[in-house]
Amino acid sequence: MADLVVSKLAKEFVTRDEPLVVLRDISLQLAVGENVAILGPSGSGKSTLLHIIGTLDTPSSGSVTLLGQDPFQLTERQLAVFRNQHIGFVFQDHHLLPQLTVLENVLIPTIAAGNATSEAVARAEDLIDRVGLAERLDHRPAELSGGERQRVAVARALIQRPALLLADEPTGSLDRTNAQAIGKLLLDLQQQEKTLLVVVTHSLELANLMSRRMELDDGVLQEVD
Ligand code: ADP
Ligand code: MG
């Protein structure tokens, strides 16, 4: 069985007028080692879909199964633990804490989980090295370039060895050179760490790096190529 199974997912938002249907019928399966890009114009529901897959929002109908578990059956507390252990996020903006160093920012998920052990510090240092920032351990986000900040965000997303890595327009705030570098980095680390990777983007260039491409159109997800 696939490690991520999204089945007949639909999402509508309640508005003052009629309900706003964003996702109609989304199905997707992904096994370990696989990566997929989800393309679609602005407003097509990419972030909404990624948030639901990442358990940050709930579907109106349909289901998500990650590692054999339906996360929406968990209590809020169990879900927070599940998300912390199994899902890593990279957003368009890095969401780093400005007062913390690179090393401390990467360690945040381990602190939240109460396991900021010396092994976690060694793992953080290793990841920071692998994203090319070994010389920047004690820098704060303001002392980094945009591309470097996004590299830290990638390292932070992987610190807990998540099964699923989700990236929402991860190159949307970067110039072309840095965008390409972050795309390659995501892919390299996905292969090394053997995670599932879902990248949502309107950049064809980023999507073309991934092994599968799907397009979100009118609330339906279809394979492209
Ligand atoms: P994308 O990431 O592809 O640009 P989004 O998933 O952010 O698209 O949004 C899809 C549509 O859903 C948009 O029309 C947006 O205005 C609407 N939307 C997103 N979140 C909400 C919300 N919490 N309440 C109501 N409408 C929303
Ligand atoms: Mg979006």
Side-chain angles (χ1 to χ4, degrees), residues 60-221:
S60 304
S61 62
S63 67
V64 174
T65 310
L66 179 60
L67 307 172
Q69 171 79 52
D70 175 351
F72 302 114
Q73 298 299 319
L74 299 172
T75 65
E76 210 157 304
R77 202 185 165 80
Q78 289 170 329
L79 182 59
V81 173
F82 182 85
R83 195 187 297 127
N84 177 279
Q85 287 184 337
H86 301 305
I87 306 175
F89 290 94
V90 179
F91 298 99
Q92 176 170 349
D93 296 305
H94 50 83
H95 292 258
L96 300 177
L97 294 179
Q99 71 274 30
L100 300 186
T101 65
V102 165
L103 180 61
E104 289 163 347
N105 266 289
V106 172
L107 284 168
I108 288 173
T110 72
I111 294 164
N115 67 350
T117 58
S118 55
E119 277 112 359
V121 173
R123 161 107 176 135
E125 288 176 346
D126 175 55
L127 280 167
I128 292 165
D129 184 28
R130 285 154 67 195
V131 301
L133 294 177
E135 312 295 307
R136 302 282 189 278
L137 279 181
D138 298 322
H139 285 231
R140 287 173 213 282
E143 300 159 353
L144 300 172
S145 72
E148 288 171 341
R149 286 197 278 266
Q150 202 59 320
R151 287 168 183 272
V152 180
V154 172
R156 179 189 52 190
L158 290 167
I159 185 74
Q160 294 283 68
R161 302 183 193 279
L164 175 61
L165 181 58
L166 300 174
D168 190 351
E169 303 277 9
T171 63
S173 300
L174 302 176
D175 60 54
R176 190 153 173 244
T177 308
N178 276 300
Q180 271 182 326
I182 288 290
K184 290 216 173 74
L185 183 69
L186 277 171
L187 205 57
D188 284 350
L189 287 167
Q190 182 252 332
Q191 303 284 318
Q192 292 165 19
E193 298 281 314
K194 299 183 176 56
T195 72
L196 311 166
L197 171 63
V198 182
V199 179
V200 151
T201 184
H202 60 256
S203 160
L204 205 53
E205 204 165 4
L206 176 61
N208 281 338
L209 291 174
M210 303 299 145
S211 47
R212 268 170 78 191
R213 273 159 295 285
M214 300 183 87
E215 186 160 28
L216 194 51
D217 182 27
D218 197 25
V220 178
L221 193 61

Side-chain angles (χ1 to χ4, degrees), residues 13-15 20 22 40-49 168 200:
F13 290 111
V14 179
T15 64
L20 176 67
V22 178
S42 183
S44 58
K46 302 184 300 299
S47 293
T48 301
L49 174 58
D168 190 351
V200 151

